[in-house]
Amino acid sequence: MKSSFINKTICKRAIFFFIFAISLTILATLITYLINPDVNDVLDGIGNQSSDTLSDSRGIHKVWAFIVNNGFSVPLQMFLLALIPIQFLYVLNIMTTVSLPGILFGIALRIDADKGFGMIFSSIPHFVFEIFAFCLLAATLFELNRAVRIKIKNLFKTDKVEISFNEKLVKAVKFYGIFVLPIITIAAFLETYAADLIYQFFQ
């Protein structure tokens, strides 16, 4: 059953998005490190955007908070953006998600290189799972967004292109439930329980 939802095209698309996301994180890290911004101002700005639920939660409650944010809120935003007939608009969520860690990595490396590298390595496991899940979602939303754009173009064309929006929508929702949400759940556990252990190893 799963093979009907994922194929080589979706995998290639997801890998392309993933390479783009990682490159953006590295770029954000390098730029932040080189320009050496005012640390307090940047941290205050990021802190104001962070969820109080995430910052106050611990243990399994923190896992659930991560799942709610990364597993439901962000994918819902991506779904809604995919319904707008502008290509790749749904990738904005991925760009935002990968840029903020890059900024934090750059600041951490500037303050203390050893702790900065520890922070980066401890973030790699959950970061990779989380971002790849978003990239998989973006890869299937590509088809949904394409269906939206074709439907709108058909309104102004006599030679209409046959495409089922409902089929693409159902496929995207099922793909999310089968692949994306489970991977994000794994990322939530890694971020809650594994990140601190890995960070302590590098101290």
Side-chain angles (χ1 to χ4, degrees):
M1 180 179 68
K2 290 184 179 181
S3 61
S4 63
F5 294 115
I6 191 165
N7 52 52
K8 288 183 179 180
T9 302
I10 288 179
C11 287
K12 287 180 180 179
R13 241 183 250 135
I15 292 171
F16 171 81
F17 286 136
F18 184 72
I19 293 173
F20 169 74
I22 296 300
S23 300
L24 195 58
T25 304
I26 295 172
L27 184 62
T29 301
L30 291 175
I31 291 176
T32 304
Y33 181 83
L34 292 175
I35 65 175
N36 191 22
D38 187 287
V39 175
N40 291 327
D41 288 344
V42 174
L43 292 180
D44 286 343
I46 295 175
N48 290 335
Q49 297 178 27
S50 65
S51 169
D52 291 337
T53 304
L54 286 175
S55 59
D56 295 338
S57 300
R58 294 291 183 273
I60 196 66
H61 297 291
K62 189 173 184 179
V63 172
W64 176 245
F66 279 125
I67 293 173
V68 169
N69 184 67
N70 298 331
F72 297 112
S73 296
V74 175
L76 178 59
Q77 293 170 18
M78 293 177 68
F79 267 106
L80 294 176
L81 289 173
L83 299 179
I84 300 174
I86 300 176
Q87 196 170 14
F88 301 123
L89 192 61
Y90 45 88
V91 180
L92 288 175
N93 291 83
I94 297 177
M95 294 173 65
T96 302
T97 302
V98 300
S99 295
L100 291 179
I103 294 172
L104 291 175
F105 294 158
I107 292 173
L109 289 172
R110 172 65 69 174
I111 295 174
D112 188 317
D114 291 336
K115 290 184 178 180
F117 279 113
M119 178 181 176
I120 292 172
F121 281 112
S122 67
S123 300
I124 288 176
H126 70 260
F127 185 80
V128 168
F129 273 84
E130 180 182 310
I131 299 307
F132 189 68
F134 290 151
C135 291
L136 280 173
L137 181 59
T140 191
L141 289 180
F142 177 93
E143 296 184 4
L144 178 63
N145 180 258
R146 179 172 174 268
V148 172
R149 289 183 284 113
I150 288 176
K151 285 292 185 181
I152 291 178
K153 287 180 181 178
N154 283 343
L155 297 175
F156 306 96
K157 294 172 63 177
T158 54
D159 53 334
K160 302 182 185 299
V161 178
E162 293 298 325
I163 190 168
S164 174
F165 170 81
N166 290 337
E167 179 183 331
K168 298 298 183 183
L169 178 60
V170 170
K171 180 179 178 181
V173 172
K174 288 183 177 180
F175 188 92
Y176 160 79
I178 293 173
F179 294 102
V180 178
L181 185 57
I183 296 175
I184 289 177
T185 301
I186 294 173
F189 277 95
L190 289 172
E191 188 164 5
T192 302
Y193 296 107
D196 287 341
L197 293 176
I198 298 173
Y199 182 77
Q200 293 300 324
F201 178 79
F202 283 92
Q203 299 311 302

